[in-house]
Amino acid sequence: MQRQGYDATPIKQISQKAEATLGSVYHFFPGGKQELAVAAVQRGDEEFSEILREIFDGEPDPADAVLALTRSLADGLRESDWIDGCPVTATALGTAGRLPDIQRAAAEAFARWQSVVFDELRSAGVPEQDADDLACTVISTLEGAELAAQVARDDKPLRLAGTHLARLIASYRS
Amino acid sequence: MQRQGYDATPIKQISQKAEATLGSVYHFFPGGKQELAVAAVQRGDEEFSEILREIFDGEPDPADAVLALTRSLADGLRESDWIDGCPVTATALGTAGRLPDIQRAAAEAFARWQSVVFDELRSAGVPEQDADDLACTVISTLEGAELAAQVARDDKPLRLAGTHLARLIASYRS
DNA sequence: GTCTATACCCCGATAGAC
DNA sequence: GTCTATCGGGGTATAGAC
């Protein structure tokens, strides 16, 4: 679903990749495809939260951390030949306003990622209101840059997003 | 397709909304659904290019223009109950790496929007390299903020993207 | 709990009358 | 050029043996 979106991803394909039978899938996910999509979004939530925490832990300066993060995202995209984008965007966008459970899970993912960035900005000395606002824009920009890089099959949007976000963050620290 | 993505949008639904028969659709779009999607993306390209030009023409300062633009996007999203997002994102993401014609059309749309922003930044006195870089990040951030606003059903990401982009642009003018 | 077979539906695309 | 009927295929979900 991360790659193709909700509707283009048949359950059969999922069960085959998982080396499970169709019956098993419906046994563990009685809610069907919708429940499966919610679980996929929640897993993407946790995966990216972990990446965020790791990179911010390794770089005390949040501006440097954002630069490292965009490089990491660019590497992942290029290595997958530009098909593994954000683990929730494709699923969320294809079901927006149609399947509320999935939308809710996606909104929770975005909110959690923002809170991770917020905490790091706070502990780097950024005032609370600025940190809250910046965390929101950091996540938005990362999402948009990854999307643009995927569409263009070029890491330029991610690289530039990194440098510009770093500059923006620095402007709130001085 | 703007609302639901490529796979969730049946041609029958399109033909009904257009008050055309299925035969007519295939008469004018012999390439089938794929050709239809390319045309839809190209139309979205033109629509948003026009909006960009209008708003930048009305505001001589590009930082002010970006603020007006994010307000306009937020209004459009809210009025549609958060379902009319970017006219190409959903279509492009659901077909990335699978239907190259659609991906190419989406890449061209993003590139055209960037060039519109680039021209306006140049004519406001921003140096060429800075303008090129900024134009890329402006489009990325607008895409991401619209996506985040749609998922959260809240215009906060768009509002903050506007103020932060304005600040970023201003930092290159002084 | 696991698996196969299948019910039921809707998709994209086409054929062929008009 | 416009329309209806239909083909072939594949989708989700379930039934029921094991």
Side-chain angles (χ1 to χ4, degrees), chain B residues 125-163:
Chain B
V126 177
E128 183 159 359
Q129 186 58 57
D130 293 342
D132 194 59
D133 293 351
L134 273 173
C136 180
T137 291
V138 166
I139 297 301
S140 293
T141 299
L142 290 177
E143 286 292 333
E146 181 143 33
L147 168 67
Q150 201 174 353
V151 167
R153 301 175 63 89
D154 184 344
D155 63 7
K156 183 180 159 192
L158 272 168
R159 283 188 287 107
L160 292 175
T163 62

mmCIF file of all heavy atoms in Angstrom, chain B residues 125-163:
data_model
loop_
_atom_site.group_PDB
_atom_site.id
_atom_site.type_symbol
_atom_site.label_atom_id
_atom_site.label_comp_id
_atom_site.label_asym_id
_atom_site.label_seq_id
_atom_site.Cartn_x
_atom_site.Cartn_y
_atom_site.Cartn_z
ATOM 1 N N GLY B 125 13.936 40.307 -7.444
ATOM 2 C CA GLY B 125 15.321 40.619 -7.106
ATOM 3 C C GLY B 125 16.095 39.510 -6.429
ATOM 4 O O GLY B 125 17.218 39.725 -5.972
ATOM 5 N N VAL B 126 15.531 38.311 -6.359
ATOM 6 C CA VAL B 126 16.262 37.202 -5.749
ATOM 7 C C VAL B 126 17.293 36.674 -6.750
ATOM 8 O O VAL B 126 16.951 36.463 -7.928
ATOM 9 C CB VAL B 126 15.287 36.076 -5.331
ATOM 10 C CG1 VAL B 126 16.044 34.891 -4.752
ATOM 11 C CG2 VAL B 126 14.267 36.607 -4.327
ATOM 12 N N PRO B 127 18.530 36.423 -6.316
ATOM 13 C CA PRO B 127 19.555 35.905 -7.230
ATOM 14 C C PRO B 127 19.121 34.589 -7.868
ATOM 15 O O PRO B 127 18.345 33.823 -7.283
ATOM 16 C CB PRO B 127 20.773 35.695 -6.316
ATOM 17 C CG PRO B 127 20.547 36.607 -5.155
ATOM 18 C CD PRO B 127 19.076 36.693 -4.965
ATOM 19 N N GLU B 128 19.661 34.323 -9.040
ATOM 20 C CA GLU B 128 19.162 33.207 -9.843
ATOM 21 C C GLU B 128 19.239 31.862 -9.127
ATOM 22 O O GLU B 128 18.257 31.118 -9.089
ATOM 23 C CB GLU B 128 19.959 33.130 -11.157
ATOM 24 C CG GLU B 128 19.449 32.035 -12.069
ATOM 25 C CD GLU B 128 19.842 32.269 -13.526
ATOM 26 O OE1 GLU B 128 20.487 33.300 -13.800
ATOM 27 O OE2 GLU B 128 19.495 31.431 -14.360
ATOM 28 N N GLN B 129 20.398 31.538 -8.546
ATOM 29 C CA GLN B 129 20.517 30.232 -7.907
ATOM 30 C C GLN B 129 19.588 30.114 -6.706
ATOM 31 O O GLN B 129 18.929 29.082 -6.501
ATOM 32 C CB GLN B 129 21.977 29.995 -7.472
ATOM 33 C CG GLN B 129 22.236 28.601 -6.933
ATOM 34 C CD GLN B 129 21.882 27.533 -7.963
ATOM 35 O OE1 GLN B 129 22.403 27.540 -9.075
ATOM 36 N NE2 GLN B 129 20.984 26.617 -7.615
ATOM 37 N N ASP B 130 19.517 31.163 -5.897
ATOM 38 C CA ASP B 130 18.606 31.159 -4.755
ATOM 39 C C ASP B 130 17.162 31.001 -5.211
ATOM 40 O O ASP B 130 16.375 30.256 -4.603
ATOM 41 C CB ASP B 130 18.754 32.460 -3.952
ATOM 42 C CG ASP B 130 20.107 32.559 -3.267
ATOM 43 O OD1 ASP B 130 20.775 31.523 -3.116
ATOM 44 O OD2 ASP B 130 20.491 33.687 -2.888
ATOM 45 N N ALA B 131 16.802 31.695 -6.271
ATOM 46 C CA ALA B 131 15.424 31.631 -6.762
ATOM 47 C C ALA B 131 15.079 30.219 -7.232
ATOM 48 O O ALA B 131 13.987 29.706 -6.968
ATOM 49 C CB ALA B 131 15.216 32.639 -7.885
ATOM 50 N N ASP B 132 16.024 29.585 -7.917
ATOM 51 C CA ASP B 132 15.790 28.225 -8.397
ATOM 52 C C ASP B 132 15.568 27.278 -7.214
ATOM 53 O O ASP B 132 14.626 26.481 -7.201
ATOM 54 C CB ASP B 132 16.987 27.775 -9.243
ATOM 55 C CG ASP B 132 16.667 26.534 -10.046
ATOM 56 O OD1 ASP B 132 15.714 26.585 -10.845
ATOM 57 O OD2 ASP B 132 17.350 25.509 -9.863
ATOM 58 N N ASP B 133 16.456 27.380 -6.220
ATOM 59 C CA ASP B 133 16.323 26.511 -5.051
ATOM 60 C C ASP B 133 15.025 26.792 -4.295
ATOM 61 O O ASP B 133 14.295 25.879 -3.901
ATOM 62 C CB ASP B 133 17.521 26.716 -4.111
ATOM 63 C CG ASP B 133 18.823 26.224 -4.736
ATOM 64 O OD1 ASP B 133 18.769 25.588 -5.805
ATOM 65 O OD2 ASP B 133 19.890 26.492 -4.151
ATOM 66 N N LEU B 134 14.735 28.070 -4.092
ATOM 67 C CA LEU B 134 13.546 28.432 -3.335
ATOM 68 C C LEU B 134 12.272 27.962 -4.044
ATOM 69 O O LEU B 134 11.332 27.470 -3.408
ATOM 70 C CB LEU B 134 13.474 29.951 -3.132
ATOM 71 C CG LEU B 134 14.216 30.507 -1.917
ATOM 72 C CD1 LEU B 134 14.190 32.027 -1.949
ATOM 73 C CD2 LEU B 134 13.585 29.990 -0.623
ATOM 74 N N ALA B 135 12.237 28.121 -5.347
ATOM 75 C CA ALA B 135 11.038 27.720 -6.096
ATOM 76 C C ALA B 135 10.740 26.250 -5.866
ATOM 77 O O ALA B 135 9.582 25.850 -5.686
ATOM 78 C CB ALA B 135 11.229 28.008 -7.578
ATOM 79 N N CYS B 136 11.789 25.441 -5.853
ATOM 80 C CA CYS B 136 11.607 24.006 -5.621
ATOM 81 C C CYS B 136 11.017 23.758 -4.241
ATOM 82 O O CYS B 136 10.036 23.020 -4.087
ATOM 83 C CB CYS B 136 12.945 23.285 -5.786
ATOM 84 S SG CYS B 136 12.868 21.506 -5.538
ATOM 85 N N THR B 137 11.590 24.384 -3.226
ATOM 86 C CA THR B 137 11.104 24.150 -1.868
ATOM 87 C C THR B 137 9.706 24.736 -1.661
ATOM 88 O O THR B 137 8.887 24.175 -0.920
ATOM 89 C CB THR B 137 12.090 24.734 -0.846
ATOM 90 O OG1 THR B 137 13.293 23.964 -0.868
ATOM 91 C CG2 THR B 137 11.500 24.704 0.562
ATOM 92 N N VAL B 138 9.409 25.858 -2.300
ATOM 93 C CA VAL B 138 8.061 26.429 -2.168
ATOM 94 C C VAL B 138 7.020 25.432 -2.654
ATOM 95 O O VAL B 138 6.027 25.151 -1.958
ATOM 96 C CB VAL B 138 7.947 27.759 -2.944
ATOM 97 C CG1 VAL B 138 6.486 28.168 -3.101
ATOM 98 C CG2 VAL B 138 8.722 28.860 -2.226
ATOM 99 N N ILE B 139 7.255 24.841 -3.818
ATOM 100 C CA ILE B 139 6.278 23.875 -4.347
ATOM 101 C C ILE B 139 6.221 22.638 -3.459
ATOM 102 O O ILE B 139 5.138 22.148 -3.109
ATOM 103 C CB ILE B 139 6.629 23.498 -5.801
ATOM 104 C CG1 ILE B 139 6.539 24.735 -6.700
ATOM 105 C CG2 ILE B 139 5.696 22.402 -6.304
ATOM 106 C CD1 ILE B 139 5.183 25.397 -6.709
ATOM 107 N N SER B 140 7.376 22.115 -3.062
ATOM 108 C CA SER B 140 7.381 20.948 -2.175
ATOM 109 C C SER B 140 6.570 21.221 -0.912
ATOM 110 O O SER B 140 5.734 20.414 -0.502
ATOM 111 C CB SER B 140 8.814 20.585 -1.767
ATOM 112 O OG SER B 140 9.575 20.130 -2.857
ATOM 113 N N THR B 141 6.840 22.359 -0.302
ATOM 114 C CA THR B 141 6.190 22.656 0.974
ATOM 115 C C THR B 141 4.689 22.872 0.792
ATOM 116 O O THR B 141 3.884 22.427 1.619
ATOM 117 C CB THR B 141 6.838 23.900 1.613
ATOM 118 O OG1 THR B 141 8.212 23.627 1.856
ATOM 119 C CG2 THR B 141 6.146 24.259 2.927
ATOM 120 N N LEU B 142 4.301 23.532 -0.278
ATOM 121 C CA LEU B 142 2.871 23.702 -0.528
ATOM 122 C C LEU B 142 2.201 22.343 -0.703
ATOM 123 O O LEU B 142 1.119 22.090 -0.148
ATOM 124 C CB LEU B 142 2.643 24.561 -1.780
ATOM 125 C CG LEU B 142 3.006 26.038 -1.657
ATOM 126 C CD1 LEU B 142 2.787 26.738 -2.993
ATOM 127 C CD2 LEU B 142 2.171 26.716 -0.572
ATOM 128 N N GLU B 143 2.828 21.451 -1.452
ATOM 129 C CA GLU B 143 2.267 20.112 -1.637
ATOM 130 C C GLU B 143 2.108 19.405 -0.299
ATOM 131 O O GLU B 143 1.065 18.837 0.006
ATOM 132 C CB GLU B 143 3.187 19.283 -2.546
ATOM 133 C CG GLU B 143 3.138 19.668 -3.999
ATOM 134 C CD GLU B 143 1.805 19.327 -4.617
ATOM 135 O OE1 GLU B 143 1.145 18.397 -4.131
ATOM 136 O OE2 GLU B 143 1.404 20.017 -5.566
ATOM 137 N N GLY B 144 3.175 19.429 0.483
ATOM 138 C CA GLY B 144 3.143 18.732 1.758
ATOM 139 C C GLY B 144 2.141 19.335 2.721
ATOM 140 O O GLY B 144 1.439 18.620 3.438
ATOM 141 N N ALA B 145 2.047 20.651 2.734
ATOM 142 C CA ALA B 145 1.129 21.306 3.661
ATOM 143 C C ALA B 145 -0.322 21.048 3.261
ATOM 144 O O ALA B 145 -1.189 20.840 4.116
ATOM 145 C CB ALA B 145 1.412 22.810 3.712
ATOM 146 N N GLU B 146 -0.586 21.029 1.968
ATOM 147 C CA GLU B 146 -1.955 20.738 1.541
ATOM 148 C C GLU B 146 -2.317 19.301 1.901
ATOM 149 O O GLU B 146 -3.419 19.015 2.380
ATOM 150 C CB GLU B 146 -2.099 20.960 0.028
ATOM 151 C CG GLU B 146 -3.523 20.693 -0.444
ATOM 152 C CD GLU B 146 -3.967 21.654 -1.533
ATOM 153 O OE1 GLU B 146 -3.124 22.067 -2.329
ATOM 154 O OE2 GLU B 146 -5.171 21.998 -1.558
ATOM 155 N N LEU B 147 -1.354 18.406 1.691
ATOM 156 C CA LEU B 147 -1.566 17.010 2.078
ATOM 157 C C LEU B 147 -1.827 16.885 3.577
ATOM 158 O O LEU B 147 -2.781 16.227 4.017
ATOM 159 C CB LEU B 147 -0.330 16.207 1.677
ATOM 160 C CG LEU B 147 -0.191 14.796 2.214
ATOM 161 C CD1 LEU B 147 -1.274 13.918 1.625
ATOM 162 C CD2 LEU B 147 1.185 14.240 1.899
ATOM 163 N N ALA B 148 -0.992 17.538 4.375
ATOM 164 C CA ALA B 148 -1.144 17.445 5.829
ATOM 165 C C ALA B 148 -2.476 18.052 6.278
ATOM 166 O O ALA B 148 -3.146 17.518 7.161
ATOM 167 C CB ALA B 148 0.022 18.150 6.522
ATOM 168 N N ALA B 149 -2.858 19.161 5.656
ATOM 169 C CA ALA B 149 -4.128 19.801 6.010
ATOM 170 C C ALA B 149 -5.302 18.892 5.671
ATOM 171 O O ALA B 149 -6.268 18.777 6.424
ATOM 172 C CB ALA B 149 -4.264 21.142 5.286
ATOM 173 N N GLN B 150 -5.190 18.215 4.539
ATOM 174 C CA GLN B 150 -6.265 17.326 4.121
ATOM 175 C C GLN B 150 -6.400 16.158 5.088
ATOM 176 O O GLN B 150 -7.507 15.791 5.484
ATOM 177 C CB GLN B 150 -5.949 16.819 2.707
ATOM 178 C CG GLN B 150 -7.156 16.308 1.964
ATOM 179 C CD GLN B 150 -6.822 15.953 0.522
ATOM 180 O OE1 GLN B 150 -5.711 16.221 0.042
ATOM 181 N NE2 GLN B 150 -7.779 15.363 -0.167
ATOM 182 N N VAL B 151 -5.286 15.580 5.468
ATOM 183 C CA VAL B 151 -5.321 14.433 6.363
ATOM 184 C C VAL B 151 -5.820 14.846 7.748
ATOM 185 O O VAL B 151 -6.612 14.145 8.375
ATOM 186 C CB VAL B 151 -3.929 13.786 6.458
ATOM 187 C CG1 VAL B 151 -3.862 12.793 7.605
ATOM 188 C CG2 VAL B 151 -3.582 13.096 5.152
ATOM 189 N N ALA B 152 -5.362 16.004 8.228
ATOM 190 C CA ALA B 152 -5.757 16.450 9.570
ATOM 191 C C ALA B 152 -7.118 17.140 9.566
ATOM 192 O O ALA B 152 -7.679 17.418 10.624
ATOM 193 C CB ALA B 152 -4.706 17.402 10.137
ATOM 194 N N ARG B 153 -7.649 17.425 8.386
ATOM 195 C CA ARG B 153 -8.887 18.198 8.259
ATOM 196 C C ARG B 153 -8.783 19.487 9.084
ATOM 197 O O ARG B 153 -9.669 19.809 9.893
ATOM 198 C CB ARG B 153 -10.101 17.371 8.699
ATOM 199 C CG ARG B 153 -10.283 16.099 7.899
ATOM 200 C CD ARG B 153 -11.427 15.243 8.431
ATOM 201 N NE ARG B 153 -12.710 15.913 8.324
ATOM 202 C CZ ARG B 153 -13.496 15.844 7.261
ATOM 203 N NH1 ARG B 153 -13.134 15.140 6.229
ATOM 204 N NH2 ARG B 153 -14.651 16.481 7.240
ATOM 205 N N ASP B 154 -7.690 20.215 8.876
ATOM 206 C CA ASP B 154 -7.398 21.424 9.645
ATOM 207 C C ASP B 154 -6.457 22.266 8.786
ATOM 208 O O ASP B 154 -5.516 21.744 8.198
ATOM 209 C CB ASP B 154 -6.712 21.036 10.963
ATOM 210 C CG ASP B 154 -6.459 22.235 11.861
ATOM 211 O OD1 ASP B 154 -6.533 23.375 11.372
ATOM 212 O OD2 ASP B 154 -6.172 22.019 13.051
ATOM 213 N N ASP B 155 -6.699 23.571 8.708
ATOM 214 C CA ASP B 155 -5.871 24.385 7.826
ATOM 215 C C ASP B 155 -4.564 24.852 8.474
ATOM 216 O O ASP B 155 -3.801 25.584 7.855
ATOM 217 C CB ASP B 155 -6.665 25.591 7.292
ATOM 218 C CG ASP B 155 -7.096 26.521 8.413
ATOM 219 O OD1 ASP B 155 -6.669 26.312 9.557
ATOM 220 O OD2 ASP B 155 -7.866 27.465 8.124
ATOM 221 N N LYS B 156 -4.325 24.405 9.702
ATOM 222 C CA LYS B 156 -3.107 24.834 10.388
ATOM 223 C C LYS B 156 -1.822 24.564 9.590
ATOM 224 O O LYS B 156 -0.977 25.463 9.472
ATOM 225 C CB LYS B 156 -3.034 24.158 11.768
ATOM 226 C CG LYS B 156 -1.846 24.577 12.617
ATOM 227 C CD LYS B 156 -1.875 23.837 13.972
ATOM 228 C CE LYS B 156 -0.488 23.822 14.598
ATOM 229 N NZ LYS B 156 -0.379 22.893 15.734
ATOM 230 N N PRO B 157 -1.623 23.383 9.029
ATOM 231 C CA PRO B 157 -0.382 23.163 8.267
ATOM 232 C C PRO B 157 -0.215 24.160 7.133
ATOM 233 O O PRO B 157 0.908 24.632 6.885
ATOM 234 C CB PRO B 157 -0.544 21.732 7.742
ATOM 235 C CG PRO B 157 -1.469 21.067 8.705
ATOM 236 C CD PRO B 157 -2.434 22.132 9.136
ATOM 237 N N LEU B 158 -1.300 24.506 6.450
ATOM 238 C CA LEU B 158 -1.179 25.461 5.345
ATOM 239 C C LEU B 158 -0.854 26.861 5.857
ATOM 240 O O LEU B 158 -0.029 27.574 5.273
ATOM 241 C CB LEU B 158 -2.471 25.478 4.524
ATOM 242 C CG LEU B 158 -2.537 24.448 3.395
ATOM 243 C CD1 LEU B 158 -3.940 24.342 2.825
ATOM 244 C CD2 LEU B 158 -1.547 24.808 2.297
ATOM 245 N N ARG B 159 -1.521 27.264 6.936
ATOM 246 C CA ARG B 159 -1.236 28.598 7.482
ATOM 247 C C ARG B 159 0.230 28.722 7.902
ATOM 248 O O ARG B 159 0.921 29.700 7.599
ATOM 249 C CB ARG B 159 -2.156 28.887 8.672
ATOM 250 C CG ARG B 159 -3.587 29.254 8.263
ATOM 251 C CD ARG B 159 -4.413 29.720 9.464
ATOM 252 N NE ARG B 159 -4.782 28.639 10.350
ATOM 253 C CZ ARG B 159 -4.257 28.413 11.549
ATOM 254 N NH1 ARG B 159 -3.317 29.226 12.008
ATOM 255 N NH2 ARG B 159 -4.668 27.407 12.284
ATOM 256 N N LEU B 160 0.703 27.709 8.624
ATOM 257 C CA LEU B 160 2.093 27.766 9.088
ATOM 258 C C LEU B 160 3.073 27.689 7.927
ATOM 259 O O LEU B 160 4.110 28.366 7.936
ATOM 260 C CB LEU B 160 2.351 26.635 10.077
ATOM 261 C CG LEU B 160 1.601 26.780 11.409
ATOM 262 C CD1 LEU B 160 1.813 25.552 12.269
ATOM 263 C CD2 LEU B 160 2.067 28.036 12.136
ATOM 264 N N ALA B 161 2.770 26.874 6.933
ATOM 265 C CA ALA B 161 3.657 26.810 5.763
ATOM 266 C C ALA B 161 3.756 28.186 5.120
ATOM 267 O O ALA B 161 4.838 28.608 4.688
ATOM 268 C CB ALA B 161 3.122 25.784 4.758
ATOM 269 N N GLY B 162 2.633 28.908 5.075
ATOM 270 C CA GLY B 162 2.661 30.250 4.502
ATOM 271 C C GLY B 162 3.587 31.178 5.259
ATOM 272 O O GLY B 162 4.453 31.829 4.663
ATOM 273 N N THR B 163 3.446 31.228 6.575
ATOM 274 C CA THR B 163 4.293 32.150 7.342
ATOM 275 C C THR B 163 5.765 31.740 7.290
ATOM 276 O O THR B 163 6.653 32.583 7.166
ATOM 277 C CB THR B 163 3.832 32.229 8.811
ATOM 278 O OG1 THR B 163 3.947 30.945 9.414
ATOM 279 C CG2 THR B 163 2.381 32.679 8.902
#
